[in-house]
Every structure is written in C-alpha cells, then in structure tokens.
Amino acid sequence: KRYAPVYPMRTKGQAGEKLNQFITSTGVPLGLITDGAKEETLGQWDEVRKKFLLTQRITEPHSPWQNKAESEIGAIKSHHRRLMDRKRVPEELWDYGLEYTADLRRFIARPELDYRTPYEVLTGDTSDISDYLNFEFYQWVKVYDPVAFPGTREYLGRWLGPAHNVGQALCYYVLKENGQVIARTTVRELTDVELKDENEIQARAAFDNIINTNIGSFTDDAIHTIANDEPEEPILSPEFPEVVQDAIPEEPPDISHGPDPLLQAEIILARGDHAAVAKVKHRKRNSDGNLVGRKHRIPTLDSRIYVCEFPDGEEIDVSYNTLAEHLFSQCDSEGNQYQIFQENINHRKNKNAVDKSDQMVRNGNRNHKKKTVAGWDLEVEWKDGSTSWLSLKDLKNSNSVDVAEYAKANRIDSEPAFDWWVYDVLRRKDRLIKMARSHRLKTGYKFGLRVPETVEEALEIDRENGNTLWQDAIAKEMQNVYIAFDVRSETQAPPGYRLIPHRIIFEIKMDFTRKARLVAGGHKTDPPAQLTYSSVVSRESVRIGFLIAAMYDLEPLAADIGNAYLNAPTKEKYYIVTGPEFGALEQGKIAIIVRALYGLKSSGAMWRAHFAATLRDLGFTSSLADPDVWMRASTLPGEDKQDYYEYILVYVDDLLVISHRGQELLDLLTDKYQYRFKDIGPPKRYLGAIVGRYDKNGTKTWYLSAKDYLSKKAIPVVEEHYGTLNKIKADTPLPPNYHPEDDKSPFLKDDEISLYQSFIGTLRWAVELGRIDLTFGVSLMSRFSGAPRDDHMQKLLWMFTYIKRHLESKFSSPSWCLTHLHVIGHTINS
C-alpha cells in the first residue's frame, strides 16, 4: 500500500523494539517479510513476533524483488537525498530528514492507489496534513520560550519536522544554535522584514557557522550533478505551477551527452507473482520530452528512470537504484551472471550415445559397465522462464539429484549413460542436496550486459545499441599497446620470426564501463631458450616491511604501474597479422612484436629484468634474502639524522615503498623513467587481507586482517554446504582435549573428501593472512586430508564457527618487538 514509516535506531539491536513501536502506533500487520538479517529474525524481534502471533517469510539471498516494500524504500531514499541536497542540510541530520520524508510520502496521493494516499488506504481515515502546512524542512523559524515573568525570549532555529510523540498537536522538532534539538509548539515563520533585515541575515549566517562547527556542514562535494540531466518529475501536479516553481530550482537545458552504459542490459525483474527477464531499452522522458531523473556520483542520489521491456513487449518503468540493485544481486563479485535452475523438461541422445549392447567391457576375467555420459543432452528451464540444452556431463556434475530423479521419472535410468550412477545418487539424495548448486554460470554476460568474443561482435553490439562504448574501449587499449608493435608495410616477415595468433579480451567493470585488453597467443608457442621464471616478493618480506615501517614511524606507499610489461623489450621473435582493431589502413599488415606483450611466455621475466635495471640505476640493491626486496641506505630527517634503509618491495607491477620520501621516489620513476603509476596511496589490501594502521598502547603499528576473506569468501562457501554456523559456542579453534587420531566415525565419501581438502586449503590461507591463532588446529587437522572421517569434518565446522565468532582478530607487530628492533637497529647503524 506504499505505507512505509521510518524509525531511526542507534543500533541494529533495537529492531525488535521498533517493530513493537510500529505495532503499537499503527496496528498488527498480517505478516512479516524480511531478509535473513539476525536483527530481523532473532532476539527481541522474534519475541515481539511471537507475542502478536505474526507469520514471517524470509526472502532468498540477493533477491530484493521478493519483497514489494523494497521499491518504496528505494523511492524514499531518492526523495530524501533530493530533500537534503536542495535544502543543503548537514549529513548529521539525515535521520530527521528521512523520517520527515517517509511521513510526508504517506500523505501523497498515488495513481496506483486510485489517487488516494497510503495512509487513507491503510486506515480508512482522511489524511491530516496540518503538521506539514506551515513549514518546510530545515526552514528558518523563531522559537518563543517564556522566561521569568514578565519577560519573553525568542531565538533562531531550523525546523526539522513534527514531533509526533511529544506535547500536544502541532509540536515540532527545532534545531538550536548549539546543535541541540528541542520539541516546541511555540514556533513561527520569519517575517518578510526579518528575512531582509541585515542584522537578521548576519544572525542566520552566524547560526550556520556555529552549526557547521558543532555538528557538521553541507558540502557540495557530496553531490555530482550532470548539467544535461533534468530534475526528477515533481510529485505535485502541474496544476500548481507556483508551488512547483518554488520547490524546484531552474535547471539548464537538456543537452545530449555520452552513451548510457546500461542500455540493452538484461535483468530479472518481478512481474506479478513471478520473475522474468527484461531488457533496458532507454531512459524515460516526461511529456515535454525531457529526461526524467537526475544523475549523481553517489548512486543513492541517482533518480533516473529507465524503461524496461519484457519479451512479450510489455514495458515498465524502473528506477536506476532498483535497476542497479537487481543487476548486482544477480551477479557474483566479478560480475558473472548466473541462471537459477528450475527443472529438467526434456532429453535427447545422438549417435555418440552408448547402446545397451555395447555397455559391457571385459577387463581380465570380469565384465564391467562403461562409465560414460556421452551422447546425451537435457533441456533445462531456468527461473527466468528461458530454456537451454546442456550436456549430461555438465548437469551430472552440477545437479546430479535433479537429473537422477528426472531419469527415473522418465524411465531412462536403465540407459548406459545413467544406470551406473543414478541409484547411488538417489541413495545419498539428502546429503547431496545440501551440497548442490542451484545456479549455473551464464556465459557471455557480465552485470546483465552482453560481452563480445571478437572485435567484429563488439562493433556489432555498438551498432545495435546506437553507441560506441566498445569501440572506445578498443581505441583506448590500442593507444596504450601500439608501442609493442612495429607495423611493416612489406608482406613478408623478417627471417627467424614466427607467426602467432592474438585476440582482444573484453570485460565490463563494476561501474559498467567497458574494457578491452590485447593479448598474444603465447600458449601456442614453444618455450623460449631464455629463462621465463619471474619471482615476486614473499609474504614474510611484506610482513617484515610493515614492521620496519612501524619501527621508524614511516608511511608506506602502495602503487600500481600501468601497462607495466609494455615498458620492457622482448627477446622472443614473433609477429602477428593485424586485425580490425588496428584500423582500416593497417588491417592485414605484418606487425613485429618488440615489447613484452601480455600473453608471451617470457614477458614476466623481461619486465622483472627491466625494472630491476631501473632500481639499480637509482642505487637500490637486491636483498640476498629476497631478490624482490630492494634497499638503499638513507637518513631520516630531523635532529637525530638516524641512518636506516629505505625499501621498495616488488610484486610484478605492484610496489610497496617504505621510505620517508616515498612520493618523491615515485615522482622520480615517473619523470626520469616514464613509468605511469595509478592507485597511489597507503596500502589497503594484500593478497586478500585488509592492511591498516592503528595506535596500540601509544605505539603506531600496522596490522593484517583476514576478515574480508573469511566473511565474504570462506564462510559463505561453508554455509552453502552445511548451513548456518551458529549452532555451537566455539571459543577455541578446536574443542579442549580433542584427539583426532582417536576418531572412529565413518570415512567421508569421495565428494566430501574433496570438500574437506578444500576447507583445509582455505584455513591455511587464513593463517597466511594473519590468523596465527589457527596454526596448530589447521596443522593438526590437515594430517587427515587423505582419509578424513565424518567427525573430522565436524571439527572443521567447529573451527569455522570459531572464526565467525572472532572475525575481528588481527596480526600486528607487538610493542615489545618494536622496542627491541629500535635498539638493534641503533646498534647496527652505530
């Protein structure tokens, strides 16, 4: 019914209290629909739900369209952002703005409600808008406060909305000059004289300055508007032009701009009681032909509207936020899109299928069945309504239970491709269902957008979409990579050079920009005579580097060298025949590869040797302990002039500079050696670990944390197979006095053994990323990787539960270590 009140909370734990408040003030709903968040399923929330006998349905992960309230929530967020921007409200007052926006929207008539308000539809009462008639949000007001008789006092304030649960009717929240929010009924507007009076103007300016100091200020940097975007259509009807004119500032004219990267994206949207695939056709325009909505750098501020079309031609309007939320929810972190399995609906076999007469083969003195699935395909229907034919081999690996049940139901389970495995799968059905995946990678798409395989296909997609996004990506890549080729006019390659293939790899990034990368087909070449091995800095050296940075109170800098390989010459003798990516004038010519092109087998080694020569030229020396740690004697600034070594740690094209003049070194590499750096700044990530700095007992030190790797990668995989890990209270990595060698439980099946080994690998990597508290437990349990038992797997789940309860653990340099290293370093330098 579009009725969506807002209840600000200090913590998520107050969710149950706010649910009770909603029921008290509004009434008992028919039921609850939530996601699987703990604060909306456990604790006080669950107590309130049981108290009022409420049913609750939980939506599937990454499926916001299953909750119809999500669309109104998105609309409230967009409306709230426009309000905060237009009124220039400090971000610290966001909760008052959000509550006011939600309240106001309850009293706005909606076409889909037959031009009635959500409040009227829900309660049957006529909406009372008295609280909202006299003031606008964050409007200047004067507050009257009585003081000792017979005096009075009036002071300036900002109106923050109705105070529903305080005082009598028409009581409002007002922001005072000191940042305090009070509730008063004695509030009035500023008069025209006060609005123009110089003293009053200065008083309001002083008020804003104090507010900016006490609670924060509004900054234009928070908004990024495009000059050619129109404002969102007003909620009020054009029948009230004077109100609309006051509410919406004059906008610049709509000017044609660059192509929209979302056009032609395919996305699963709610359609009635089911979901279906729709294609993004174009931006919506209003009756005057202007684009609806405003583009913002911050996604939640974006109010653009798109027109999406279903296969049968039906069109619906979808906001940018809803579109982006659905796209990202249907993809993994890399943008790969998955199709959700519904059921098998058909089957077929071809001439490669084994006949029953040929099924048995003789091995020694015994006959055995051929274990083959060749020659069979199954037609699959996906959740979005589409169908496709897949090989039995692929489906047996991903959906073995579904295939086995289909084969038995359709009486093909006695066929040679099925009878050797169907019975065993059905016998282990319950366990396999827990481990099965219900989705399959949808090839050729990223974030719902089609990804081309060839240059010709990329240009064809551009023609279909009426833009040049892929063409521009190809041109940008060729501009960077052209230096790697010597394009010849002659038709014959020089003696000793061999022809190799090449191709362009296409990619779509998270902001929907297109990317192209030209690579050589080095996989089809013979190993070169020269060494191709290229080492990288060890993890131990990186940890020691952070320790040294903490010891000397240095700020390390991380940097990425753009197109690093192309800086180095190559010794391999290959050429390519140029394709359409080189342009019409140079297509079909011979191009000698003269730089370490991506894809060549020796490119990594050539780049390492080239950059090593650069560092030697700067006076750096490779460490004997780790050849990818480069050091140079230097002196710290200050009165002590302490001697120390500055370091550059190299991981292919990523650098970690530990020096008091890190930016100066990077500038020198740019100016003198023409290296192009990107993403320069303090280190934040290392091989999946979070890198950070904090003050530990007065000593600044660096730490590594595996929190993101464990919470976003490892634990979700474990819970996908074995359910939620909160069933036990694990306060140690393994139970006390546990002896795995005494375990007598049954051995795991083959597929579970692979899972056990995978979990061990995950835990070992967690140790590498700083979780040294797991070292003994992982080492102990890895001894049984060859033949693990059922209880061994249960103890791994215990370990993952312990990890989930202690995700904040970090690996850092202890203060005593820093103190001793200072003494040692001083002695050596002396």
Side-chain angles (χ1 to χ4, degrees), residues 479-497:
Q479 183 179 3
N480 293 329
V481 81
Y482 194 82
I483 191 176
F485 299 100
D486 176 16
V487 181
R488 304 290 184 91
S489 57
E490 57 266 24
T491 58
Q492 294 292 328
Y497 283 81

PDB file of all heavy atoms in Angstrom, residues 479-497:
ATOM      1  N   GLN A 479      45.719   2.465 -28.188  1.00  0.00           N
ATOM      2  CA  GLN A 479      46.587   3.608 -27.943  1.00  0.00           C
ATOM      3  C   GLN A 479      47.693   3.250 -26.946  1.00  0.00           C
ATOM      4  O   GLN A 479      48.831   3.695 -27.071  1.00  0.00           O
ATOM      5  CB  GLN A 479      45.755   4.781 -27.422  1.00  0.00           C
ATOM      6  CG  GLN A 479      46.551   6.053 -27.202  1.00  0.00           C
ATOM      7  CD  GLN A 479      45.686   7.195 -26.712  1.00  0.00           C
ATOM      8  OE1 GLN A 479      44.489   7.024 -26.483  1.00  0.00           O
ATOM      9  NE2 GLN A 479      46.269   8.367 -26.553  1.00  0.00           N
ATOM     10  N   ASN A 480      47.346   2.421 -25.946  1.00  0.00           N
ATOM     11  CA  ASN A 480      48.332   2.019 -24.947  1.00  0.00           C
ATOM     12  C   ASN A 480      49.288   0.951 -25.468  1.00  0.00           C
ATOM     13  O   ASN A 480      50.476   0.950 -25.131  1.00  0.00           O
ATOM     14  CB  ASN A 480      47.622   1.493 -23.707  1.00  0.00           C
ATOM     15  CG  ASN A 480      46.855   2.570 -22.967  1.00  0.00           C
ATOM     16  OD1 ASN A 480      47.239   3.734 -22.977  1.00  0.00           O
ATOM     17  ND2 ASN A 480      45.754   2.192 -22.321  1.00  0.00           N
ATOM     18  N   VAL A 481      48.772   0.012 -26.267  1.00  0.00           N
ATOM     19  CA  VAL A 481      49.545  -1.164 -26.635  1.00  0.00           C
ATOM     20  C   VAL A 481      50.275  -1.014 -27.970  1.00  0.00           C
ATOM     21  O   VAL A 481      51.112  -1.852 -28.318  1.00  0.00           O
ATOM     22  CB  VAL A 481      48.613  -2.395 -26.665  1.00  0.00           C
ATOM     23  CG1 VAL A 481      47.826  -2.466 -27.969  1.00  0.00           C
ATOM     24  CG2 VAL A 481      49.375  -3.679 -26.432  1.00  0.00           C
ATOM     25  N   TYR A 482      49.985   0.034 -28.717  1.00  0.00           N
ATOM     26  CA  TYR A 482      50.567   0.174 -30.055  1.00  0.00           C
ATOM     27  C   TYR A 482      52.094   0.217 -30.006  1.00  0.00           C
ATOM     28  O   TYR A 482      52.779  -0.196 -30.952  1.00  0.00           O
ATOM     29  CB  TYR A 482      50.027   1.436 -30.728  1.00  0.00           C
ATOM     30  CG  TYR A 482      50.291   1.491 -32.217  1.00  0.00           C
ATOM     31  CD1 TYR A 482      49.465   0.816 -33.108  1.00  0.00           C
ATOM     32  CD2 TYR A 482      51.375   2.198 -32.729  1.00  0.00           C
ATOM     33  CE1 TYR A 482      49.709   0.847 -34.474  1.00  0.00           C
ATOM     34  CE2 TYR A 482      51.628   2.244 -34.086  1.00  0.00           C
ATOM     35  CZ  TYR A 482      50.791   1.567 -34.954  1.00  0.00           C
ATOM     36  OH  TYR A 482      51.037   1.602 -36.300  1.00  0.00           O
ATOM     37  N   ILE A 483      52.636   0.696 -28.883  1.00  0.00           N
ATOM     38  CA  ILE A 483      54.090   0.795 -28.727  1.00  0.00           C
ATOM     39  C   ILE A 483      54.757  -0.574 -28.784  1.00  0.00           C
ATOM     40  O   ILE A 483      55.965  -0.684 -29.043  1.00  0.00           O
ATOM     41  CB  ILE A 483      54.424   1.503 -27.397  1.00  0.00           C
ATOM     42  CG1 ILE A 483      55.902   1.869 -27.326  1.00  0.00           C
ATOM     43  CG2 ILE A 483      54.021   0.632 -26.218  1.00  0.00           C
ATOM     44  CD1 ILE A 483      56.256   2.656 -26.077  1.00  0.00           C
ATOM     45  N   ALA A 484      53.993  -1.650 -28.556  1.00  0.00           N
ATOM     46  CA  ALA A 484      54.562  -3.006 -28.539  1.00  0.00           C
ATOM     47  C   ALA A 484      54.756  -3.573 -29.936  1.00  0.00           C
ATOM     48  O   ALA A 484      55.282  -4.683 -30.073  1.00  0.00           O
ATOM     49  CB  ALA A 484      53.659  -3.932 -27.724  1.00  0.00           C
ATOM     50  N   PHE A 485      54.339  -2.847 -30.992  1.00  0.00           N
ATOM     51  CA  PHE A 485      54.389  -3.390 -32.352  1.00  0.00           C
ATOM     52  C   PHE A 485      55.191  -2.485 -33.282  1.00  0.00           C
ATOM     53  O   PHE A 485      55.211  -1.265 -33.132  1.00  0.00           O
ATOM     54  CB  PHE A 485      52.968  -3.542 -32.913  1.00  0.00           C
ATOM     55  CG  PHE A 485      52.103  -4.476 -32.126  1.00  0.00           C
ATOM     56  CD1 PHE A 485      51.180  -3.987 -31.212  1.00  0.00           C
ATOM     57  CD2 PHE A 485      52.214  -5.855 -32.290  1.00  0.00           C
ATOM     58  CE1 PHE A 485      50.378  -4.840 -30.482  1.00  0.00           C
ATOM     59  CE2 PHE A 485      51.415  -6.706 -31.565  1.00  0.00           C
ATOM     60  CZ  PHE A 485      50.497  -6.211 -30.655  1.00  0.00           C
ATOM     61  N   ASP A 486      55.841  -3.142 -34.211  1.00  0.00           N
ATOM     62  CA  ASP A 486      56.469  -2.456 -35.341  1.00  0.00           C
ATOM     63  C   ASP A 486      55.728  -2.913 -36.592  1.00  0.00           C
ATOM     64  O   ASP A 486      55.984  -3.989 -37.133  1.00  0.00           O
ATOM     65  CB  ASP A 486      57.957  -2.825 -35.417  1.00  0.00           C
ATOM     66  CG  ASP A 486      58.646  -2.205 -36.634  1.00  0.00           C
ATOM     67  OD1 ASP A 486      58.066  -1.276 -37.232  1.00  0.00           O
ATOM     68  OD2 ASP A 486      59.748  -2.676 -36.988  1.00  0.00           O
ATOM     69  N   VAL A 487      54.766  -2.101 -37.035  1.00  0.00           N
ATOM     70  CA  VAL A 487      53.923  -2.461 -38.175  1.00  0.00           C
ATOM     71  C   VAL A 487      54.696  -2.225 -39.461  1.00  0.00           C
ATOM     72  O   VAL A 487      55.170  -1.108 -39.713  1.00  0.00           O
ATOM     73  CB  VAL A 487      52.610  -1.650 -38.157  1.00  0.00           C
ATOM     74  CG1 VAL A 487      51.735  -2.057 -39.345  1.00  0.00           C
ATOM     75  CG2 VAL A 487      51.862  -1.861 -36.853  1.00  0.00           C
ATOM     76  N   ARG A 488      54.840  -3.268 -40.258  1.00  0.00           N
ATOM     77  CA  ARG A 488      55.621  -3.209 -41.503  1.00  0.00           C
ATOM     78  C   ARG A 488      54.701  -3.090 -42.724  1.00  0.00           C
ATOM     79  O   ARG A 488      53.569  -3.579 -42.721  1.00  0.00           O
ATOM     80  CB  ARG A 488      56.482  -4.468 -41.641  1.00  0.00           C
ATOM     81  CG  ARG A 488      57.419  -4.739 -40.470  1.00  0.00           C
ATOM     82  CD  ARG A 488      58.554  -3.725 -40.428  1.00  0.00           C
ATOM     83  NE  ARG A 488      59.510  -4.026 -39.373  1.00  0.00           N
ATOM     84  CZ  ARG A 488      60.594  -4.793 -39.539  1.00  0.00           C
ATOM     85  NH1 ARG A 488      60.823  -5.370 -40.715  1.00  0.00           N
ATOM     86  NH2 ARG A 488      61.422  -4.979 -38.529  1.00  0.00           N
ATOM     87  N   SER A 489      55.227  -2.470 -43.738  1.00  0.00           N
ATOM     88  CA  SER A 489      54.470  -2.353 -44.989  1.00  0.00           C
ATOM     89  C   SER A 489      54.689  -3.557 -45.895  1.00  0.00           C
ATOM     90  O   SER A 489      53.848  -3.872 -46.743  1.00  0.00           O
ATOM     91  CB  SER A 489      54.873  -1.071 -45.722  1.00  0.00           C
ATOM     92  OG  SER A 489      56.278  -1.059 -45.964  1.00  0.00           O
ATOM     93  N   GLU A 490      55.859  -4.252 -45.733  1.00  0.00           N
ATOM     94  CA  GLU A 490      56.139  -5.412 -46.570  1.00  0.00           C
ATOM     95  C   GLU A 490      55.239  -6.587 -46.197  1.00  0.00           C
ATOM     96  O   GLU A 490      54.688  -6.641 -45.108  1.00  0.00           O
ATOM     97  CB  GLU A 490      57.612  -5.820 -46.474  1.00  0.00           C
ATOM     98  CG  GLU A 490      58.090  -6.114 -45.061  1.00  0.00           C
ATOM     99  CD  GLU A 490      58.729  -4.895 -44.399  1.00  0.00           C
ATOM    100  OE1 GLU A 490      58.405  -3.754 -44.819  1.00  0.00           O
ATOM    101  OE2 GLU A 490      59.533  -5.084 -43.478  1.00  0.00           O
ATOM    102  N   THR A 491      55.113  -7.514 -47.098  1.00  0.00           N
ATOM    103  CA  THR A 491      54.213  -8.657 -46.914  1.00  0.00           C
ATOM    104  C   THR A 491      54.912  -9.865 -46.307  1.00  0.00           C
ATOM    105  O   THR A 491      54.244 -10.827 -45.948  1.00  0.00           O
ATOM    106  CB  THR A 491      53.595  -9.058 -48.252  1.00  0.00           C
ATOM    107  OG1 THR A 491      54.652  -9.377 -49.179  1.00  0.00           O
ATOM    108  CG2 THR A 491      52.745  -7.919 -48.818  1.00  0.00           C
ATOM    109  N   GLN A 492      56.234  -9.841 -46.209  1.00  0.00           N
ATOM    110  CA  GLN A 492      56.989 -10.956 -45.653  1.00  0.00           C
ATOM    111  C   GLN A 492      57.622 -10.559 -44.331  1.00  0.00           C
ATOM    112  O   GLN A 492      58.154  -9.450 -44.193  1.00  0.00           O
ATOM    113  CB  GLN A 492      58.090 -11.418 -46.626  1.00  0.00           C
ATOM    114  CG  GLN A 492      57.562 -12.015 -47.919  1.00  0.00           C
ATOM    115  CD  GLN A 492      56.859 -13.345 -47.687  1.00  0.00           C
ATOM    116  OE1 GLN A 492      57.228 -14.098 -46.796  1.00  0.00           O
ATOM    117  NE2 GLN A 492      55.833 -13.616 -48.497  1.00  0.00           N
ATOM    118  N   ALA A 493      57.572 -11.454 -43.364  1.00  0.00           N
ATOM    119  CA  ALA A 493      58.197 -11.194 -42.071  1.00  0.00           C
ATOM    120  C   ALA A 493      59.705 -11.389 -42.173  1.00  0.00           C
ATOM    121  O   ALA A 493      60.191 -12.160 -43.019  1.00  0.00           O
ATOM    122  CB  ALA A 493      57.622 -12.127 -41.018  1.00  0.00           C
ATOM    123  N   PRO A 494      60.492 -10.732 -41.327  1.00  0.00           N
ATOM    124  CA  PRO A 494      61.948 -10.925 -41.331  1.00  0.00           C
ATOM    125  C   PRO A 494      62.305 -12.381 -41.031  1.00  0.00           C
ATOM    126  O   PRO A 494      61.540 -13.089 -40.368  1.00  0.00           O
ATOM    127  CB  PRO A 494      62.424  -9.990 -40.217  1.00  0.00           C
ATOM    128  CG  PRO A 494      61.333  -8.999 -40.041  1.00  0.00           C
ATOM    129  CD  PRO A 494      60.071  -9.729 -40.353  1.00  0.00           C
ATOM    130  N   PRO A 495      63.449 -12.837 -41.491  1.00  0.00           N
ATOM    131  CA  PRO A 495      63.875 -14.222 -41.225  1.00  0.00           C
ATOM    132  C   PRO A 495      63.968 -14.494 -39.718  1.00  0.00           C
ATOM    133  O   PRO A 495      64.414 -13.645 -38.948  1.00  0.00           O
ATOM    134  CB  PRO A 495      65.261 -14.293 -41.883  1.00  0.00           C
ATOM    135  CG  PRO A 495      65.263 -13.204 -42.905  1.00  0.00           C
ATOM    136  CD  PRO A 495      64.412 -12.112 -42.348  1.00  0.00           C
ATOM    137  N   GLY A 496      63.528 -15.678 -39.316  1.00  0.00           N
ATOM    138  CA  GLY A 496      63.610 -16.079 -37.919  1.00  0.00           C
ATOM    139  C   GLY A 496      62.379 -15.739 -37.099  1.00  0.00           C
ATOM    140  O   GLY A 496      62.260 -16.191 -35.952  1.00  0.00           O
ATOM    141  N   TYR A 497      61.451 -14.956 -37.631  1.00  0.00           N
ATOM    142  CA  TYR A 497      60.237 -14.590 -36.907  1.00  0.00           C
ATOM    143  C   TYR A 497      59.100 -15.532 -37.271  1.00  0.00           C
ATOM    144  O   TYR A 497      58.929 -15.903 -38.425  1.00  0.00           O
ATOM    145  CB  TYR A 497      59.839 -13.142 -37.214  1.00  0.00           C
ATOM    146  CG  TYR A 497      60.683 -12.119 -36.484  1.00  0.00           C
ATOM    147  CD1 TYR A 497      61.932 -11.753 -36.965  1.00  0.00           C
ATOM    148  CD2 TYR A 497      60.226 -11.544 -35.298  1.00  0.00           C
ATOM    149  CE1 TYR A 497      62.712 -10.817 -36.295  1.00  0.00           C
ATOM    150  CE2 TYR A 497      61.000 -10.612 -34.620  1.00  0.00           C
ATOM    151  CZ  TYR A 497      62.236 -10.255 -35.121  1.00  0.00           C
ATOM    152  OH  TYR A 497      63.001  -9.335 -34.446  1.00  0.00           O
TER     153      TYR A 497
END
